[in-house]
Amino acid sequence: MERELALSDFVLTAGTVITMDGERPRADAVAVSGSRIVAVGSLAECVSAVGPNAEVIDTGARALLPGFVEPHGHPFLGGVLTQPPIAQITPWVAPTWDDVVAVFTAAIAASDPSTPLVFNGFDALLQGHAAPTAADLDEIFGDRVAVVLDNSAHGIYFDTALIEQYGWTDPPPDPEGGHYGRNPDGSLNGQGFEVPLLTAVMTPLIAGMPSPLTSGAGFFAAMSRAGYTTTSDMAYDPQTEHDYETLAATTSCPLRVNLWEMSTTDTYAEPVTFTAGEEMLRKAGVKLWTDGAVWVGSAATSFPYLDTEATRRAGIDPATAGGTGSLNYTRSQVDAILDRAAPAGWQMSFHANGDLAVELALDAYEAALARHGLTGADHRWRIEHLGGATRAQMDRAARSGVHVSMSPFQYYFWGELLDGAIFDHEHGSRWQPTADALASGACVSLHNDGPVSPPSPLVNIQTVTSRRTRAGTVHGADQAIPLDAAIRAQTIDAARTLRRDHLIGSIEVGKLADFVELSDDPYTVDPATLGEAVRVNGTWVGGSRIDLDAFLAAVSNSDTTPSTGPRLGPCC
C-alpha cells in the first residue's frame, strides 16, 4: 500500500517553534507545502508564503521542535526482540531475578511444550544474579528448548535441549569474532558471546516464528511515541529488506530509516536500491564491533575491572576481562573490511566501548583514510558508544573528521555500578564523557541503541545535561553539557552523523516537514527532570501528523508473508 502524505498547503503554530537553526532559533509558525517546509517565522510571514486560503493548524503544543533523530538504533530487530512471542525480562520490566523466574514460569504455563521459549533482556548486574548456564536453565525448563538473551546483546544463554537439537553435543569450534562458554572437558556450558554466537543460536528460532512484521511495527510505534521521526539500523541484515520496504510503504509510517549493513554479511560493500525512496529508506554504511559490552566483561579497557560482589555475580573475572583479549578483530581483519568498504563510498561505523577498542578504531580509520585519499574529506565515519574513551581520543576523532555517537543510557541505568563496583572512581565516574567529546570539536550525537534501552531521547538529554542516573545520583559532574548542545545532539547533529542534515534535524526552509510536539518548552524546565516533566504529544513526518493506530492497523492487515528473519547481531 502507498504511504499517505498531506499534499495541501498549511501553517502550523505552537506556543513556540524551536528550530535548531542558529540563524533563527525561535519562531511562531511553520508553513508547509506538500512534504517540505516553505517558511519559518511569524504567523503573517507563514500565511503569506502559502496563501491566505491555507489552513492554519494550532498544534496545541507548547513547543514544536524538529523530530528527534536516533543515530544508532535497531528498529526492526528491536521489534523482534521486544514483542511476542519473545518474552521480556529487561531490568525495567523484571527488576530482580525472582521477577525473571516469574516470567519464565508464566511462559511455561501459557505455551505448548513443543514451542521453543525465548526471553530477552537478562542483566546480571542490575538483576543481581549470575548469567545462567545450561544446567541452571535445565532445572527450570526441563527438556523444553529455552534461550535467554543478555540485555547487552553480546551474550546468549541456552539449555541442554537446544544443544541437543542443534547437534552441539559434539562441540563446535569457536567462530571468528565470538566464543562459546565451555565446561572443563570442552563441552558447551550453555553460554555464548558476540555476534556469531547470537546468530548461530537465534537464526533458526526466528525463522520458525510468525512473521516479524507486526513486531517491527510495534517498535516503530514505540519510537514514534518517544518523539523520534528518523532512525537507523546499525546492524542491517539484507534478509529484512522486504520487511523494511513494507513498513516504509505503510499508511502513516512514523520513521525514516538509514541502514548500516553488518560486516559479517557477504554483501556489505554492495549498493542497494529501495522502492520506498531514499528519503524513507536508504543504505548508508557498514558496521562492525571492535569489542563487546561492559556488562559481560568484554569491553576492551586498558584499566581493570574490579573484583567486587557485582562483577563476581556477573561472571566477570578481572584477571581475564577487558584488555586486548576483548577485541573482536585483529588490525589486519579490520583493515580488510575497510579496504573493501571505503572504495564503495560507505560511511563506516565501529562499535567501541573501551578505550582500547576506541584506539583500534582510530588507528584503523586514520590509516584507511590516508590509503584511500579521504584524509580531510567529509566522510563522517563514526565511532559508537565510547564509554571509556579519553579526551585525547576525542581530540583525535575530531581531527580526523570522525563523528562520535554517545550512549547516555549506559550511565543512566548503570552509573552507580560503573563508579566503584565495575571500575574504579577515576574511570567509572566519567563513563560516557560527553563534555570531553563536545569540547574536542567532534560532531556529537546521542542514542538509545534500542532495544538495549527504551526509546527515550528526552531522558538522553536529561542525562547528559544533569549527569543524574536513574537512581538519582550524580557522578562525574564535569561531564555534563549545556541543554542546547544536548538537544542539538538529538536533532541537527544526529542528522549530520546520518548525513541527512540537508533534509532533517532543524526547522528550515527546504527541509522535510518532520516535527515533534512537546507538552512544554524544554528550555523552561529543570534539565534534571526533563524526561519526567515533558511529554511527547505527537509527531509529523513529511507534512503528515502520524496516526499510529492507522499505521499498526494497516500493518496487521498487510501482506504478512514471513521473511527469513534477521540474522541476530548485537544491538549496539
Side-chain angles (χ1 to χ4, degrees):
M1 62 191 68
E2 293 186 358
R3 183 175 177 275
E4 293 182 350
L5 289 175
L7 298 178
S8 58
D9 296 343
F10 59 91
V11 175
L12 293 180
T13 63
T16 185
V17 177
I18 301 173
T19 68
M20 306 316 296
D21 172 14
E23 297 295 317
R24 189 167 197 169
R26 298 264 180 167
D28 299 321
V30 183
V32 176
S33 180
S35 63
R36 299 274 178 164
I37 297 167
V38 294
V40 183
S42 68
L43 178 59
E45 288 171 326
C46 290
V47 169
S48 176
V50 292
N53 295 324
E55 183 180 8
V56 176
I57 302 170
D58 180 3
T59 63
R62 291 188 181 174
L64 189 73
L65 275 71
F68 292 128
V69 177
E70 169 61 290
H72 183 123
H74 306 269
F76 189 74
L77 183 59
V80 172
L81 294 181
T82 63
Q83 307 293 319
I86 294 181
Q88 295 310 292
I89 55 169
T90 52
W92 31 96
V93 171
T96 69
W97 178 250
D98 286 344
D99 297 324
V100 171
V101 173
V103 176
F104 289 164
T105 302
I108 292 169
S111 59
D112 186 288
S114 64
T115 303
L117 295 174
V118 183
F119 305 88
N120 176 66
F122 172 78
D123 187 288
L125 290 162
L126 293 180
Q127 290 166 333
H129 192 276
T133 63
D136 298 325
L137 295 176
D138 291 347
E139 290 185 9
I140 298 171
F141 296 101
D143 58 1
R144 291 196 67 168
V145 171
V147 173
V148 175
L149 286 152
D150 198 275
N151 191 58
S152 70
H154 286 263
I156 192 163
Y157 317 111
F158 43 91
D159 61 6
T160 300
L162 182 133
I163 292 172
E164 293 176 347
Q165 179 172 302
Y166 283 14
W168 288 351
T169 49
D170 181 12
D174 289 343
E176 182 179 293
H179 65 279
Y180 293 94
R182 297 182 186 274
N183 297 310
D185 63 359
S187 62
L188 302 189
N189 72 356
Q191 298 183 338
F193 302 95
E194 301 306 330
V195 182
L197 269 298
L198 274 69
T199 299
V201 173
M202 285 299 299
T203 298
L205 296 176
I206 290 176
M209 292 178 183
S211 169
L213 195 63
T214 301
S215 299
F219 201 76
F220 271 46
M223 293 190 70
S224 179
R225 293 186 192 102
Y228 284 122
T229 56
T230 293
T231 186
S232 57
D233 184 338
M234 302 307 295
Y236 170 62
D237 183 339
Q239 294 182 7
T240 61
E241 178 179 343
H242 167 77
D243 303 291
Y244 272 122
E245 288 273 31
T246 302
L247 293 172
T250 299
T251 298
S252 215
C253 178
L255 295 176
R256 306 183 189 278
V257 183
N258 302 268
L259 308 167
W260 268 256
E261 187 166 341
M262 295 185 288
S263 62
T264 53
T265 71
D266 296 327
T267 58
Y268 68 81
E270 297 176 10
V272 181
T273 301
F274 297 100
T275 59
E278 282 212 345
E279 289 181 0
M280 287 301 295
L281 186 61
R282 63 185 277 267
K283 178 177 170 179
V286 177
K287 168 76 180 297
L288 63 78
W289 292 261
T290 55
D291 68 346
V294 176
W295 331 117
V296 293
S298 58
T301 58
S302 65
F303 43 92
Y305 282 78
L306 299 180
D307 183 6
T308 65
E309 181 182 351
T311 54
R312 287 192 293 272
R313 185 187 304 121
I316 297 172
D317 181 356
T320 57
T324 56
S326 290
L327 294 171
N328 289 330
Y329 297 88
T330 65
R331 172 63 187 278
S332 62
Q333 290 170 332
V334 173
D335 287 347
I337 293 168
L338 286 168
D339 288 344
R340 184 179 170 196
W346 296 118
Q347 229 180 321
M348 299 304 302
S349 168
F350 282 13
H351 160 114
N353 267 314
D355 59 331
L356 294 179
V358 174
E359 197 75 8
L360 172 63
L362 288 169
D363 289 347
Y365 274 177
E366 289 171 356
L369 290 170
R371 283 198 307 276
H372 296 284
L374 294 172
T375 302
D378 185 22
H379 53 81
R380 306 192 201 185
W381 289 5
R382 306 172 47 173
I383 301 179
E384 316 298 313
H385 312 313
L386 302 105
T390 66
R391 172 59 193 272
Q393 291 175 330
M394 297 296 189
D395 291 341
R396 282 184 68 187
R399 287 194 301 270
S400 298
V402 172
H403 287 217
V404 295
S405 192
M406 311 289 288
S407 305
F409 67 88
Q410 291 186 351
Y411 173 81
Y412 179 72
F413 287 107
W414 290 273
E416 282 76 27
L417 292 168
L418 285 162
D419 185 4
I422 301 175
F423 300 120
D424 62 23
H425 175 72
E426 177 186 356
H427 297 96
S429 65
R430 66 183 301 280
W431 198 260
Q432 291 297 316
T434 318
D436 284 353
L438 188 67
S440 75
C443 184
V444 179
S445 61
L446 309 176
H447 62 256
N448 281 127
D449 198 7
V452 176
S453 75
S456 49
L458 289 170
V459 173
N460 287 346
I461 295 167
Q462 168 188 295
T463 301
V464 298
T465 53
S466 68
R467 291 293 287 186
R468 184 170 71 91
T469 69
R470 190 187 191 199
T473 60
V474 174
H475 308 253
D478 62 324
Q479 289 303 318
I481 65 174
L483 178 61
D484 191 66
I487 296 176
R488 291 179 65 85
Q490 203 72 78
T491 55
I492 186 61
D493 288 342
R496 288 196 176 100
T497 292
L498 295 181
R499 203 177 273 168
R500 298 278 91 183
D501 50 308
H502 61 295
L503 293 175
I504 59 169
S506 61
I507 299 177
E508 298 182 66
V509 172
K511 290 193 175 185
L512 292 164
D514 294 1
F515 313 115
V516 58
E517 301 172 7
L518 297 183
S519 64
D520 288 279
D521 179 343
Y523 290 88
T524 66
V525 173
D526 178 0
T529 64
L530 192 68
E532 297 88 12
V534 180
R535 299 184 311 278
V536 172
N537 292 340
T539 62
W540 296 69
V541 173
S544 288
R545 195 175 194 279
I546 293 301
D547 183 339
L548 291 176
D549 289 339
F551 169 67
L552 293 171
V555 170
S556 68
N557 293 325
S558 69
D559 173 16
T560 55
T561 302
S563 70
T564 54
R567 285 169 287 208
L568 200 70
C571 300
C572 42

Coordinates of all heavy atoms in Angstrom, one line a residue, residues 330-366:
T330 N 41.5 -8.6 14.7 CA 42.8 -8.1 14.6 C 42.9 -6.8 13.8 O 41.9 -6.6 13.0 CB 43.8 -9.1 14.0 OG1 43.3 -9.4 12.7 CG2 43.7 -10.4 14.8
R331 N 43.9 -6.1 13.8 CA 44.0 -4.9 13.0 C 43.9 -5.3 11.5 O 43.3 -4.6 10.7 CB 45.3 -4.2 13.3 CG 45.7 -3.0 12.4 CD 44.6 -1.9 12.4 NE 45.0 -0.9 11.4 CZ 45.9 0.0 11.5 NH1 46.5 0.2 12.7 NH2 46.2 0.9 10.5
S332 N 44.6 -6.4 11.1 CA 44.5 -6.8 9.7 C 43.1 -7.1 9.2 O 42.7 -6.8 8.1 CB 45.5 -8.0 9.4 OG 45.1 -9.1 10.2
Q333 N 42.3 -7.7 10.1 CA 40.9 -8.0 9.8 C 40.1 -6.7 9.6 O 39.3 -6.6 8.6 CB 40.3 -8.9 10.8 CG 40.9 -10.3 10.9 CD 40.4 -11.1 12.1 OE1 40.1 -10.5 13.2 NE2 40.3 -12.4 12.0
V334 N 40.3 -5.8 10.5 CA 39.6 -4.5 10.3 C 40.0 -3.8 9.0 O 39.2 -3.3 8.3 CB 39.9 -3.6 11.6 CG1 39.3 -2.2 11.3 CG2 39.3 -4.2 12.8
D335 N 41.3 -3.8 8.8 CA 41.8 -3.2 7.5 C 41.2 -3.8 6.3 O 40.9 -3.1 5.3 CB 43.4 -3.3 7.5 CG 44.1 -2.4 8.5 OD1 43.4 -1.5 9.0 OD2 45.3 -2.5 8.7
A336 N 41.1 -5.1 6.3 CA 40.5 -5.8 5.1 C 39.0 -5.3 4.9 O 38.6 -5.1 3.7 CB 40.6 -7.3 5.3
I337 N 38.3 -5.1 6.0 CA 36.9 -4.7 5.8 C 36.9 -3.2 5.3 O 36.1 -2.9 4.4 CB 36.2 -4.8 7.2 CG1 36.0 -6.3 7.6 CG2 34.8 -4.1 7.1 CD1 35.6 -6.5 9.0
L338 N 37.7 -2.4 5.9 CA 37.8 -1.0 5.4 C 38.2 -0.9 4.0 O 37.6 -0.1 3.2 CB 38.8 -0.2 6.3 CG 38.3 0.1 7.7 CD1 39.4 0.6 8.6 CD2 37.2 1.2 7.7
D339 N 39.1 -1.7 3.6 CA 39.6 -1.7 2.2 C 38.6 -2.2 1.2 O 38.7 -1.8 0.0 CB 40.9 -2.4 2.0 CG 42.1 -1.8 2.7 OD1 42.0 -0.6 3.0 OD2 43.1 -2.4 3.0
R340 N 37.6 -2.9 1.6 CA 36.6 -3.3 0.8 C 35.4 -2.3 0.7 O 34.8 -2.1 -0.3 CB 36.0 -4.7 1.2 CG 34.9 -5.3 0.3 CD 34.4 -6.6 0.7 NE 33.3 -7.0 0.0 CZ 32.4 -8.0 0.4 NH1 32.7 -8.7 1.5 NH2 31.4 -8.3 -0.4
A341 N 35.2 -1.7 1.9 CA 34.0 -0.8 2.0 C 34.3 0.6 1.6 O 33.5 1.3 1.0 CB 33.5 -0.8 3.4
A342 N 35.5 1.1 1.9 CA 35.8 2.5 1.6 C 35.8 2.9 0.2 O 35.2 3.9 -0.2 CB 37.2 2.9 2.2
P343 N 36.3 2.1 -0.8 CA 36.2 2.4 -2.2 C 34.8 2.5 -2.7 O 34.5 3.2 -3.7 CB 37.0 1.3 -2.9 CG 37.9 0.8 -1.8 CD 37.2 0.9 -0.6
A344 N 33.9 1.8 -2.0 CA 32.5 1.9 -2.4 C 31.8 3.1 -1.9 O 30.6 3.3 -2.2 CB 31.7 0.6 -2.0
G345 N 32.5 3.9 -1.0 CA 31.9 5.1 -0.5 C 31.1 5.0 0.7 O 30.4 6.0 1.1
W346 N 31.1 3.9 1.4 CA 30.2 3.7 2.5 C 30.7 4.5 3.8 O 31.9 4.6 4.0 CB 30.1 2.2 2.9 CG 29.4 1.4 1.8 CD1 30.0 0.4 1.1 CD2 28.1 1.6 1.3 NE1 29.1 -0.1 0.2 CE2 27.9 0.6 0.3 CE3 27.1 2.5 1.6 CZ2 26.7 0.5 -0.4 CZ3 25.9 2.4 0.9 CH2 25.7 1.4 -0.1
Q347 N 29.8 4.9 4.6 CA 30.1 5.5 5.9 C 30.4 4.4 6.8 O 29.5 3.5 7.1 CB 28.9 6.3 6.3 CG 29.1 7.7 6.8 CD 27.8 8.3 7.3 OE1 26.8 8.2 6.6 NE2 27.9 9.1 8.3
M348 N 31.5 4.3 7.4 CA 31.9 3.3 8.3 C 31.4 3.6 9.8 O 31.4 4.8 10.2 CB 33.4 3.1 8.4 CG 34.0 2.7 7.0 SD 33.2 1.2 6.3 CE 33.5 0.0 7.6
S349 N 31.1 2.5 10.5 CA 30.7 2.7 11.9 C 31.3 1.6 12.7 O 31.1 0.4 12.4 CB 29.1 2.6 12.0 OG 28.7 2.5 13.3
F350 N 32.0 1.9 13.7 CA 32.7 1.0 14.6 C 32.1 1.1 16.0 O 32.2 2.1 16.6 CB 34.2 1.2 14.7 CG 35.0 0.7 13.5 CD1 34.4 0.3 12.3 CD2 36.4 0.6 13.5 CE1 35.1 -0.1 11.2 CE2 37.1 0.2 12.5 CZ 36.5 -0.2 11.3
H351 N 31.5 0.0 16.5 CA 31.2 -0.1 17.9 C 32.5 -0.2 18.7 O 33.4 -1.0 18.4 CB 30.4 -1.4 18.1 CG 30.3 -1.9 19.5 ND1 29.2 -2.0 20.2 CD2 31.3 -2.5 20.3 CE1 29.4 -2.5 21.4 NE2 30.7 -2.8 21.5
A352 N 32.6 0.6 19.8 CA 33.8 0.6 20.6 C 33.4 1.1 22.0 O 33.1 2.3 22.1 CB 34.9 1.5 20.0
N353 N 33.4 0.3 23.0 CA 33.1 0.7 24.3 C 34.3 1.1 25.2 O 34.3 2.1 25.8 CB 32.3 -0.4 25.1 CG 30.8 -0.3 24.9 OD1 30.3 0.8 25.1 ND2 30.1 -1.3 24.6
G354 N 35.3 0.2 25.1 CA 36.5 0.5 25.9 C 37.5 1.4 25.2 O 37.5 1.5 24.0
D355 N 38.5 2.0 26.0 CA 39.5 2.9 25.3 C 40.4 2.1 24.4 O 40.8 2.7 23.4 CB 40.3 3.6 26.4 CG 41.0 2.7 27.3 OD1 40.6 1.5 27.6 OD2 42.1 3.1 27.8
L356 N 40.7 0.8 24.6 CA 41.5 0.1 23.7 C 40.7 -0.2 22.4 O 41.4 -0.1 21.3 CB 41.9 -1.3 24.3 CG 42.8 -1.2 25.5 CD1 43.1 -2.6 26.0 CD2 44.1 -0.5 25.2
A357 N 39.4 -0.4 22.4 CA 38.6 -0.5 21.2 C 38.6 0.8 20.4 O 38.6 0.8 19.2 CB 37.2 -1.0 21.6
V358 N 38.4 1.9 21.2 CA 38.4 3.2 20.5 C 39.7 3.5 19.8 O 39.8 4.0 18.7 CB 38.1 4.3 21.5 CG1 38.2 5.7 20.9 CG2 36.7 4.1 22.1
E359 N 40.8 3.1 20.5 CA 42.2 3.3 19.9 C 42.3 2.5 18.6 O 42.9 3.0 17.6 CB 43.2 2.9 20.9 CG 44.6 3.4 20.6 CD 44.8 4.9 20.9 OE1 43.9 5.5 21.5 OE2 45.8 5.4 20.6
L360 N 41.8 1.2 18.6 CA 41.9 0.4 17.4 C 41.1 1.0 16.3 O 41.6 1.1 15.2 CB 41.4 -1.0 17.7 CG 41.2 -1.9 16.5 CD1 42.5 -2.2 15.8 CD2 40.5 -3.2 16.9
A361 N 39.9 1.5 16.6 CA 39.1 2.2 15.6 C 39.8 3.4 15.0 O 39.8 3.6 13.8 CB 37.7 2.5 16.2
L362 N 40.3 4.2 15.9 CA 41.0 5.4 15.4 C 42.2 5.1 14.6 O 42.5 5.7 13.5 CB 41.4 6.3 16.6 CG 40.2 7.0 17.3 CD1 40.7 7.7 18.6 CD2 39.6 8.1 16.4
D363 N 43.0 4.2 15.0 CA 44.2 3.8 14.3 C 43.9 3.3 12.9 O 44.5 3.7 11.9 CB 45.0 2.7 15.0 CG 45.7 3.2 16.3 OD1 45.8 4.4 16.4 OD2 46.1 2.3 17.1
A364 N 42.8 2.4 12.9 CA 42.4 1.8 11.6 C 41.8 2.9 10.7 O 42.1 2.9 9.5 CB 41.4 0.7 11.8
Y365 N 41.0 3.8 11.2 CA 40.4 4.8 10.5 C 41.4 5.8 9.8 O 41.4 6.1 8.6 CB 39.5 5.7 11.3 CG 38.0 5.1 11.5 CD1 37.1 5.8 12.3 CD2 37.6 4.0 10.8 CE1 35.8 5.3 12.4 CE2 36.3 3.5 10.9 CZ 35.4 4.2 11.7 OH 34.1 3.7 11.9
E366 N 42.3 6.2 10.7 CA 43.3 7.2 10.2 C 44.1 6.6 9.0 O 44.4 7.3 8.0 CB 44.2 7.6 11.3 CG 43.5 8.5 12.3 CD 44.3 8.8 13.6 OE1 45.4 8.2 13.7 OE2 43.8 9.6 14.4

